[in-house]
Amino acid sequence: MKVILASPRGFCAGVNMAIECLDLALKSFGAPVYVYHEIVHNKYVVETFKKKGAIFVDDLEEVPPKSILLFSAHGVSPEIRKAAKDRDLTAIDATCPLVTKVHLEAIKFAKLGYTICLIGHEGHDEVIGTMGEAPEAIVLVETEEDVDKLEIADPEKLAYLTQTTLSVDDATRIINRLKARFPEIKGPPKADICYATQNRQEAVRILGSEAQLVLVLGSQNSSNSQRLKELAKESGISGYLIDGASDIQREWFEGVENVLVTAGASAPEDVVQECLDYLVEKFDATIETRSIREEEVHFPLPKELRKLVSIT
């Protein structure tokens, strides 16, 4: 068996920053450190931090007053920020700057009186946070069919934004449908889908043609990881989303000679290596790393955390 190891894969700059934040908070302040929602959507990462003393909550009522609280990489609404302040919590904002960019665009369009079509998945933490910036102005759009059902009072004051972790192809189809229905619609100055999401999808699109099966390391609640699996299947290739080697089923590989291995933006390299070790042991696989582009993006730690731990 030949394994093509896709690059770039795994952690993006936003995930790296969020994980560094939580690591540093635990080292600096000790356990417990509370986190609103999962720090990133990855089972392995969350379980690792639980063992270190992080407590993940979905309701701020669970957080004792005056505690240290981290906002996850997916961002939160102004309502949650206010609730944290009211409980006298020391809040550290680990929101990915590319998510913050979408929040600021939503605020800008809403102040100008625009109706905003937010292209995304209902219930996703990022979408909930973004919609919370201007709930009266934002309409969620998940499909092209949703576009056809839209009733807009003033089509000349209409804008669109997107969740950062969508399928590029799906988002493009929805945006094109919006532009066809509403020619005056405005979009963000720069596309909202993040660089890492685009790069990992591009790698599967380019390298997947050389494989009969794609393994995506990532958790089921990871939007960008799900898109990688879907992209493989749309190309007519078997695709599986797994948390680690223990999820692999040997029957998947019957008649398979070439396997593409990649990882979603919240999956750590440890689980990738574990998967590769399994394939080498069970199938005598050879590994070939193939890079489609380099990533050199880095986000600094939040100012409030640097100040708290006296980092300059």
Side-chain angles (χ1 to χ4, degrees):
M1 179 188 290
K2 176 183 174 182
V3 172
I4 303 167
L5 181 59
S7 179
R9 66 181 176 277
F11 283 177
C12 61
V15 166
N16 265 323
M17 184 270 285
I19 287 174
E20 286 175 24
C21 282
L22 185 48
D23 245 336
L24 184 56
L26 284 163
K27 288 173 184 174
S28 301
F29 310 117
V33 169
Y34 292 85
V35 186
Y36 185 66
H37 296 325
E38 294 184 349
I39 184 69
V40 297
H41 286 159
N42 184 268
K43 180 180 175 183
Y44 179 93
V45 171
V46 169
E47 290 303 317
T48 299
F49 274 120
K50 281 182 179 178
K51 291 172 185 174
K52 293 181 180 180
I55 299 177
F56 298 92
V57 301
D58 292 321
D59 187 338
L60 293 191
E61 292 292 327
E62 301 173 52
V63 184
K66 301 185 183 299
S67 298
I68 301 289
L69 174 72
L70 234 76
F71 297 138
S72 80
H74 309 104
V76 297
S77 67
E79 181 183 8
I80 296 301
R81 294 180 190 278
K82 182 180 183 303
K85 187 176 181 180
D86 290 345
R87 288 186 72 77
D88 199 19
L89 304 177
T90 299
I92 299 166
D93 189 357
T95 302
C96 171
L98 300 179
V99 174
T100 300
K101 165 185 171 289
V102 181
H103 281 228
L104 295 174
E105 289 164 347
I107 293 167
K108 180 192 75 173
F109 279 126
K111 282 183 177 178
L112 293 172
Y114 280 75
T115 298
I116 303 160
C117 295
L118 178 61
I119 304 168
H121 299 298
E122 185 175 10
H124 190 279
D125 291 341
E126 182 185 329
V127 167
I128 293 169
T130 302
M131 293 189 75
E133 294 289 0
E136 72 292 337
I138 298 178
V139 179
L140 183 63
V141 174
E142 295 190 84
T143 64
E144 292 173 86
E145 290 69 31
D146 287 346
V147 175
D148 298 336
K149 298 172 188 172
L150 285 173
E151 295 182 7
I152 305 297
D154 185 357
E156 293 189 357
K157 299 213 79 173
L158 182 65
Y160 72 84
L161 300 171
T162 76
Q163 182 180 329
T164 62
T165 55
L166 297 180
S167 156
V168 175
D169 293 340
D170 287 349
T172 299
R173 283 192 286 269
I174 294 170
I175 290 167
N176 287 341
R177 183 71 69 95
L178 281 167
K179 288 179 176 178
R181 268 208 73 190
F182 308 103
E184 300 299 317
I185 194 169
K186 289 183 170 56
K190 185 179 178 184
D192 290 330
I193 296 178
C194 91
Y195 77 94
T197 297
Q198 295 184 54
N199 289 348
R200 282 146 191 72
Q201 289 178 18
E202 184 184 19
V204 169
R205 195 177 286 110
I206 292 170
L207 301 174
S209 60
E210 301 177 35
Q212 291 102 27
L213 184 146
V214 177
L215 288 179
V216 179
L217 276 298
S219 292
Q220 298 300 320
N221 63 338
S222 167
S223 175
N224 77 88
S225 300
Q226 286 282 2
R227 303 295 82 76
L228 294 175
K229 180 192 76 173
E230 291 170 4
L231 187 57
K233 291 191 170 183
E234 286 169 9
S235 303
I237 308 163
S238 297
Y240 299 96
L241 176 59
I242 58 174
D243 271 299
S246 61
D247 292 340
I248 294 175
Q249 298 179 30
R250 291 197 67 163
E251 57 265 30
W252 294 346
F253 301 93
E254 290 178 11
V256 172
E257 295 180 359
N258 297 317
V259 176
L260 175 64
V261 174
T262 187
S266 50
E269 190 64 17
D270 288 356
V271 297
V272 176
Q273 191 57 54
E274 179 190 83
C275 178
L276 296 176
D277 291 344
Y278 175 94
L279 296 175
V280 170
E281 179 188 343
K282 302 297 184 185
F283 299 100
D284 194 27
T286 59
I287 314 295
E288 178 188 350
T289 300
R290 298 276 293 280
S291 178
I292 63 154
R293 66 179 66 250
E294 296 297 319
E295 288 183 349
E296 297 179 353
V297 181
H298 175 76
F299 296 137
L301 294 174
K303 287 181 182 178
E304 62 269 30
L305 179 58
R306 298 203 305 270
K307 184 178 179 181
L308 284 168
V309 298
S310 300
I311 292 179
T312 55

